[in-house]
Amino acid sequence: MKCGYSYDELTAYFDGELPREEQSKLRQHLGCCGECASALEELRFVRSAVLSAWQAEIQAPEDLRSNVLGRLREEGAFRESLPVKTPVATGKGWKGFKGWGAAAAASALLVAGASWAWLAGNVDNAPLNTALIENKPAITEHIPPDKEVKEVTEKEPDGTAGGSATDNQPGDKPGIKNQGTAVTSPEKPGTPRQTDNAPQQTATGAIALKDYTGKAFLSVDKKSYSGYFQLTDNWRNYDSLDQKIKLTAAGYNAALAGSFKDSGGVVTINVPTASYNALYEDLKGLLSAGGIVKGSDTTVESIESQYKVVQTELEKVREEYEASAGDMEKQNQLANRQNSLIDQMEDLEQRARISTIAIKL
Amino acid sequence: MGDLKTDVLIERCRQGSEAAFSELIQIYQNRVYTICFQLTGNSEDAKDLAQETFIRLYGALPGFRGQSAFTTWLYRIIHNLWANELRKRKNKQTISLNAPIHTEEGEIDRTPADEKSNPEQLIEAGEERKLIWTAIDTLNQEQRTVLVLRELHGYSYEEIARGLGWSPGTVKSRLNRARLHLKEQLLKLGVKPDKESQKDADIRKKVKQL
């Protein structure tokens, strides 16, 4: 503007983002500056147009609800399910997960349980009894082999708790107790179940675990804790799977202290699903540090083989890329391919870490 | 916070009740879908985003402690998912110039504005909104997102920056570019400022009540 005000200042004024004093100064200026006044008019025009484009609520597609419920049901997310009359349609995956969604559906390896499994002796509100409801779609649950739950485990002799992640075979429901009629469960008939041979590990109070990508994702000892964190109260960190935050029992990391306090002292950690059972055993060690541990296994998908295929492919493409030095066009193509493979790997990693463990220290 | 019915439903959802979650979806699905549609600009993405939002919501309900209103919290999930998706699509996106534009009223041809025989003739009752849609659809997804969040939902720069994980400077520059671009497109299509239009604040209030 000739008057010296910038377009940026004008838009900030229009959006009410200027400090109060400047806001009123500019307001006065508008009375005597035609250029600014007409620029402001244009901003109003755009806003009015955007606002008038959407004044009504749009009807959600009819199958939205059934798709969502179907997917969650398939993942065994509900403890009390609605009666199922017809096979549940699987919701279409998010575009970004297209490849994965198809593969997952094809392999039918979705195994799940969203029930809170209390790993500690504290069984207040523990939903164990709900697991006994009959004729419900697959309810899966981690049952700690504690005294308190003997009654439950005896009724389902084929179910078991614990087990090690390394024992998992594709199609297994590792360490997950499957109860009720598997109406919507994608589990294949005749899937081998684990027997009750959970390794009895001595609680040492120190834990260090690595996921299948080789990254250490969790280590706990009596004094300190570090791992991937998912603070459920801090939505911005909702997906920060790779964020490593160190937390000491003596004084929580300052950056987290607020959220941690707000969350009632409960920290939720993403757990690579493949390691859930190993973690289940290991976390018992945390009890000796005075912690209460509860876990929620929301989805278990056997993605390890998928991951390896993509990883191998990526290595190949990288080699090819190196080999085709000088050929710009080919290298561009290969670079795109690499990006897409990396995206795939990231998707898979994300899917693999759906399980969560909540720790109350 | 939030109304009693929602609170009760949330509590039941936390205990794993499908019926409760079904009801929660029923209550919020139009609101969620509308926002998803506004952000994505097409019904396919809107549906994907809305579905993912509810799936994510269910998993996150145990962590909801009522510090903010439920809807605020729900919208953050939408923004978060959409921001992630935008990041993924970046550099990958290709728009076919001839692909039809989806609106809630059906499809609109993506005919370049210059080729419209006489835009003035099209501006009749209801037609203007279609033209505005056409103009909005020429924005890229980041521009569209920031414009919707600012103009339609009234979020501050800071809130948008936090919600999408952008810097405030990026928010500002994308917003300004979006506005300038949209203005040009609207004028090109023959949409003129409407003197008799409702006051923006009133409209936004209405939008916010959705």
Side-chain angles (χ1 to χ4, degrees):
Chain A
M1 314 284 164
K2 281 174 200 148
C3 58
Y5 275 108
S6 67
Y7 184 72
D8 263 18
E9 283 172 294
L10 210 61
T11 52
Y13 166 79
F14 180 62
D15 290 323
E17 298 268 353
L18 287 178
R20 191 180 288 184
E21 235 172 73
E22 289 174 45
Q23 196 85 16
S24 68
K25 224 165 106 189
L26 218 158
R27 191 178 305 122
Q28 284 174 3
H29 168 75
L30 285 168
C32 57
C33 179
E35 202 185 359
C36 282
S38 84
L40 198 72
E41 245 347 281
E42 287 175 3
L43 288 170
R44 286 211 183 97
F45 164 53
V46 170
R47 177 169 294 172
S48 294
V50 174
L51 285 166
S52 68
W54 292 286
Q55 288 191 40
E57 196 168 84
I58 307 171
Q59 285 281 318
E62 277 177 15
D63 58 348
L64 192 146
R65 182 161 59 147
S66 58
N67 284 350
V68 170
L69 294 177
R71 255 174 75 183
L72 286 169
R73 205 180 291 152
E74 196 172 72
E75 292 170 6
F78 299 116
R79 217 168 290 138
E80 297 166 33
S81 289
L82 295 165
V84 182
K85 286 172 193 149
T86 48
V88 180
T90 310
K92 192 164 65 68
W94 178 251
K95 268 187 179 169
F97 296 147
K98 228 171 210 165
W100 162 248
S107 60
L109 288 176
L110 288 161
V111 181
S115 319
W116 284 97
W118 290 67
L119 306 178
N122 181 349
V123 289
D124 285 352
N125 303 320
L128 298 175
N129 52 346
T130 60
L132 288 171
I133 296 168
E134 284 175 3
N135 299 324
K136 295 285 179 196
I139 294 165
T140 56
E141 187 144 10
H142 291 269
I143 306 293
D146 286 341
K147 255 194 170 173
E148 286 91 334
V149 299
K150 266 268 163 64
E151 186 191 329
V152 178
T153 49
E154 274 166 13
K155 292 192 180 178
E156 288 287 332
D158 60 341
T160 180
S164 155
T166 51
D167 296 332
N168 297 350
Q169 297 300 320
D172 267 2
K173 296 186 106 183
I176 290 175
K177 190 174 170 65
N178 184 22
Q179 299 182 339
T181 318
V183 178
T184 61
S185 170
E187 184 190 24
K188 289 173 192 163
T191 301
R193 294 271 176 87
Q194 281 186 292
T195 48
D196 195 2
N197 60 352
Q200 292 303 308
Q201 205 167 306
T202 319
T204 58
I207 301 166
L209 292 177
K210 286 180 178 175
D211 64 20
Y212 57 83
T213 64
K215 285 184 206 159
F217 71 91
L218 181 70
S219 65
V220 181
D221 65 35
K222 282 180 187 174
K223 290 193 185 90
S224 70
Y225 173 88
S226 75
Y228 295 121
F229 271 73
Q230 180 192 38
L231 287 173
T232 47
D233 276 329
N234 187 343
W235 69 277
R236 268 179 297 159
N237 287 338
Y238 196 80
D239 274 330
S240 57
L241 301 173
D242 297 320
Q243 201 174 2
K244 276 189 174 177
I245 300 163
K246 205 157 197 171
L247 186 75
T248 61
Y252 305 127
N253 180 305
L256 280 174
S259 312
F260 193 74
K261 209 174 99 212
D262 292 344
S263 70
V266 176
V267 176
T268 308
I269 317 156
N270 281 292
V271 180
T273 302
S275 306
Y276 189 92
N277 290 294
L279 188 67
Y280 161 77
E281 286 298 316
D282 289 338
L283 278 178
K284 283 197 272 185
L286 194 67
L287 295 176
S288 60
I292 300 167
V293 181
K294 55 182 184 172
S296 159
D297 186 10
T298 49
T299 309
V300 179
E301 299 174 71
S302 176
I303 70 146
E304 193 171 351
S305 56
Q306 299 261 337
Y307 189 89
K308 280 180 179 152
V309 169
V310 180
Q311 201 173 28
T312 313
E313 174 75 11
L314 182 65
E315 275 163 20
K316 242 193 269 169
V317 173
R318 277 187 175 143
E319 278 170 23
E320 221 179 310
Y321 183 88
E322 306 280 16
S324 56
D327 186 346
M328 282 286 278
E329 202 183 324
K330 194 171 180 193
Q331 284 211 331
N332 278 341
Q333 278 176 5
L334 290 168
N336 284 338
R337 177 86 186 118
Q338 275 188 45
N339 285 338
S340 105
L341 287 168
I342 289 167
D343 281 357
Q344 279 180 45
M345 281 171 78
E346 280 172 5
D347 286 347
L348 289 170
E349 275 186 44
Q350 189 151 345
R351 299 294 288 214
R353 294 203 183 106
I354 290 173
S355 297
T356 61
I357 296 278
I359 295 184
K360 185 169 184 174
L361 290 176
Chain B
M1 311 261 287
D3 58 290
L4 187 65
K5 190 174 181 190
T6 299
D7 289 348
V8 170
L9 286 176
I10 289 172
E11 195 43 50
R12 283 177 53 211
C13 289
R14 280 179 178 156
Q15 287 160 14
S17 161
E18 179 176 345
F21 195 57
S22 176
E23 208 173 331
L24 202 67
I25 297 175
Q26 181 64 35
I27 294 172
Y28 290 99
Q29 62 176 356
N30 287 351
R31 243 180 279 189
V32 165
Y33 183 74
T34 302
I35 293 171
C36 293
F37 195 96
Q38 289 164 348
L39 290 171
T40 63
N42 69 77
S43 45
E44 200 185 327
D45 281 341
K47 190 175 167 186
D48 281 342
L49 182 56
Q51 286 181 180
E52 286 304 316
T53 297
F54 281 116
I55 289 187
R56 180 70 65 97
L57 170 72
Y58 186 79
L61 274 177
F64 176 64
R65 289 188 166 73
Q67 286 154 320
S68 55
F70 176 68
T71 46
T72 309
W73 190 70
L74 181 60
Y75 298 164
R76 280 174 182 170
I77 296 179
I78 302 176
H79 299 160
N80 197 218
L81 282 171
W82 181 235
N84 285 346
E85 183 62 18
L86 282 181
R87 234 164 271 143
K88 266 191 205 165
R89 289 186 189 182
K90 216 180 169 190
N91 302 326
K92 279 195 218 165
Q93 201 199 354
T94 51
I95 295 178
S96 160
L97 285 172
N98 297 318
I101 297 160
H102 303 277
T103 75
E104 91 274 36
E105 291 162 349
E107 292 187 342
I108 297 175
D109 287 336
R110 200 184 285 271
T111 312
D114 294 343
E115 287 173 36
K116 296 256 189 215
S117 50
N118 189 351
E120 261 82 4
Q121 285 176 357
L122 288 171
I123 307 176
E124 287 160 19
E127 287 299 330
E128 182 169 288
R129 279 183 70 209
K130 280 191 185 173
L131 291 176
I132 296 172
W133 278 94
T134 310
I136 288 172
D137 263 297
T138 64
L139 297 168
N140 70 32
Q141 282 179 317
E142 277 92 0
Q143 289 174 341
R144 180 194 175 96
T145 299
V146 73
L147 203 69
V148 164
L149 293 180
R150 173 61 230 167
E151 305 291 41
L152 206 56
H153 298 272
Y155 288 105
S156 71
Y157 296 168
E158 178 60 33
E159 286 168 326
I160 297 171
R162 253 189 290 133
L164 300 177
W166 299 352
S167 74
T170 304
V171 169
K172 215 173 161 181
S173 68
R174 282 183 176 155
L175 179 61
N176 285 348
R177 254 180 281 146
R179 281 168 164 163
L180 289 170
H181 179 87
L182 188 61
K183 182 197 79 185
E184 277 167 27
Q185 292 298 316
L186 288 169
L187 294 175
K188 231 182 191 177
L189 290 168
V191 180
K192 296 207 178 70
D194 182 1
K195 295 273 186 287
E196 288 167 29
S197 70
Q198 281 173 276
K199 280 214 154 89
D200 295 342
D202 293 343
I203 300 179
R204 190 180 293 149
K205 217 169 162 188
K206 203 168 153 190
V207 170
K208 279 213 146 179
Q209 282 165 358
L210 288 181

